[in-house]
Amino acid sequence: MHTTFGATFLAVAYGLALFIENAASASLQGEPILIPHVVARQAPTGTSSESLPATTISPTTSPTGASVNISVATSIVNKPLPTITVFDSSSNSHQASGSIDLSCANCSTFGTLGFTADDFSYDNGTITGGIIEMEANGFGGIFEVGITSADLARYTFSHLFFSYPIVGIGLPGIPGANAGISLEIGGDFDIELDDSIEFTFGGSFTVPDGAIITFDTTDLGNSSQHGFTPSTGLQLSPVPFQANLSSPTLTASLAIQPRLILGIHAEAVYAEAGIDFDLPRLSVEVTRLTNVDVNCNTINNTNHATAVPGNATNVIPSAEVDIGLLADAGAFDIKNATSTQLASAMMTLPTACLLFDSAAHSLEPATSATTSSGTIGGKKGNGAAGSFDVHVWGMMWVLGFSMLCGMIMI
């Protein structure tokens, strides 16, 4: 009798120990999976630059005609960029408060830009007329930018990605006059950090062949564009967001900014006119959600076949395009304002619903609990969200079976 009772006790004790051990392990799996959380802010309407440079822009070689092409094919791939000393723009301090490390997974532009001058006129030291046309062919770019910071604050800063040789163009209608064309492509950043972080974001753009801007340098309101806005053919897409932290909080935006400056030389007069772009300003809103399906739509039943296991990351990108024109009031016979917004548009981009894979340390497309076989929370299975209940009921079955065996032995 004592022997059977001892066997029963041992069986029950073993089952109970097994239950406790696995339930504790399952409860650890049931911890919320921390997902990167990013909120990006739209830039104010209008272009970021409102002034022309103070330096004189001159052709590096004598112009050979009234038209010229510039190749913009260049790239920076998998390379760090110079560390940027930044200032906390949320305070009144003018002291450097930290640094930002930038890198380019892929920062590239491609295609050509062609420039043609027409209908220029000059009278008594003033440019009274002039048209510059910029035509794009195969023009586009991708900017996948990595940002690393160990400092917590709000920063706004700019970085020049590419500058191209200054080329010259003749100005028909003004004997001996010419213009130097300066083209640069930079990025304007606005970032607010609550933690040290390393993250990657950005986007790409392409314009249709034959996209054109007609710039009336003395009547900016008479200018026009086609192909540089979403409604006229501009194509935009975001770069997938990634981060190295489980739950960062930040705001971020990146404006890809081509900037064209014309340095016009006519007799003793020097004048400038320019085109500024946000092409585009990319923003992304990323939020952490629970009780959603693979499209991040809310569902009431977490055991539903389409339910995402654990926490999902909802990525909602958007973009803003701005084109601004500027002219030097001192040398041009300006008929209206010296600056104007040629075009402005906002657009939403395709959203994504993601899960954090802690083994791969990356965000991956979300799958439901019934189809998930990836690594979520560091262990393979059908998803971390439902694993606790499965383990608990499994261990209860083991405990019950062990007690039954003990009773039979008695």
Side-chain angles (χ1 to χ4, degrees):
M1 180 68 180
H2 290 287
T3 301
T4 56
F5 177 80
T8 302
F9 177 81
L10 289 175
V12 172
Y14 174 77
L16 182 61
L18 198 61
F19 168 78
I20 293 172
E21 177 184 359
N22 285 274
S25 175
S27 68
L28 292 176
Q29 291 185 14
E31 291 289 329
I33 304 170
L34 298 177
I35 305 295
H37 175 265
V38 178
V39 180
R41 183 173 45 252
Q42 288 283 357
T45 300
T47 56
S48 63
S49 176
E50 297 295 340
S51 62
L52 294 162
T55 57
T56 299
I57 299 170
S58 300
T60 53
T61 58
S62 297
T64 58
S67 62
V68 67
N69 290 323
I70 299 177
S71 172
V72 296
T74 188
S75 64
I76 303 172
V77 178
N78 294 327
K79 290 184 178 180
L81 302 174
T83 297
I84 296 177
T85 300
V86 290
F87 300 82
D88 183 357
S89 59
S90 63
S91 69
N92 294 324
S93 172
H94 296 289
Q95 300 297 317
S97 58
S99 63
I100 297 286
D101 289 333
L102 293 179
S103 63
C104 277
N106 186 2
C107 300
S108 304
T109 54
F110 39 84
T112 61
L113 296 175
F115 298 90
T116 302
D118 196 12
D119 292 336
F120 272 82
S121 58
Y122 180 80
D123 182 34
N124 194 28
T126 303
I127 298 171
T128 57
I131 302 291
I132 295 289
E133 288 188 343
M134 184 185 80
E135 181 175 346
N137 284 287
F139 177 55
I142 179 170
F143 289 83
E144 184 177 359
V145 180
I147 297 176
T148 303
S149 176
D151 307 289
L152 318 180
R154 179 180 176 184
Y155 305 119
T156 57
F157 61 94
S158 299
H159 179 76
L160 178 62
F161 289 105
F162 306 118
S163 60
Y164 305 89
I166 296 174
V167 298
I169 186 172
L171 302 180
I174 307 178
N178 61 59
I181 300 175
S182 170
L183 177 63
E184 298 177 339
I185 298 181
D188 183 56
F189 296 83
D190 189 345
I191 299 172
E192 188 170 355
L193 303 176
D194 287 342
D195 205 343
S196 301
I197 188 173
E198 178 181 342
F199 67 99
T200 302
F201 80 132
S204 63
F205 70 93
T206 57
V207 301
D209 287 349
I212 192 168
I213 292 177
T214 301
F215 183 8
D216 189 328
T217 59
T218 59
D219 187 359
L220 275 59
N222 193 43
S223 303
S224 62
Q225 71 81 31
H226 183 82
F228 287 89
T229 56
S231 62
T232 60
L234 174 68
Q235 298 292 317
L236 303 172
S237 60
V239 168
F241 172 83
Q242 289 291 348
N244 71 331
L245 292 185
S246 57
S247 57
T249 300
L250 60 85
T251 61
S253 67
L254 165 61
I256 301 169
Q257 294 182 325
R259 193 180 196 207
L260 168 73
I261 302 295
L262 303 170
I264 298 174
H265 301 261
E267 295 185 357
V269 173
Y270 175 73
E272 288 182 345
I275 306 175
D276 279 337
F277 299 85
D278 281 355
L279 193 67
R281 179 174 291 273
L282 294 155
S283 299
V284 62
E285 181 180 357
V286 183
T287 54
R288 173 184 172 185
L289 301 176
T290 57
N291 298 335
V292 296
D293 63 15
V294 294
N295 296 314
C296 283
N297 297 316
T298 301
I299 57 177
N300 296 323
N301 184 2
T302 57
N303 294 321
H304 194 277
T306 63
V308 168
N311 303 302
T313 297
N314 192 26
V315 181
I316 307 175
S318 60
E320 180 179 358
V321 175
D322 280 300
I323 305 174
L325 306 177
L326 303 93
D328 185 349
F332 287 97
D333 181 17
I334 303 295
K335 296 178 175 58
N336 293 295
T338 59
S339 65
T340 190
Q341 187 179 62
L342 179 61
S344 179
M346 297 185 65
M347 64 182 296
T348 57
L349 300 170
T351 62
C353 191
L354 308 173
L355 291 177
F356 188 68
D357 186 331
S358 60
H361 216 64
S362 64
L363 293 165
E364 306 294 340
T367 55
S368 66
T370 57
T371 60
S372 174
S373 60
T375 306
I376 307 299
K379 295 188 178 182
K380 287 194 174 184
N382 289 332
S387 59
F388 177 74
D389 288 341
V390 171
H391 281 277
V392 169
W393 287 107
M395 292 309 103
M396 289 182 68
W397 183 89
V398 171
L399 177 61
F401 180 74
S402 300
M403 295 180 66
L404 179 62
C405 291
M407 293 175 64
I408 292 174
M409 293 176 66
I410 293 175

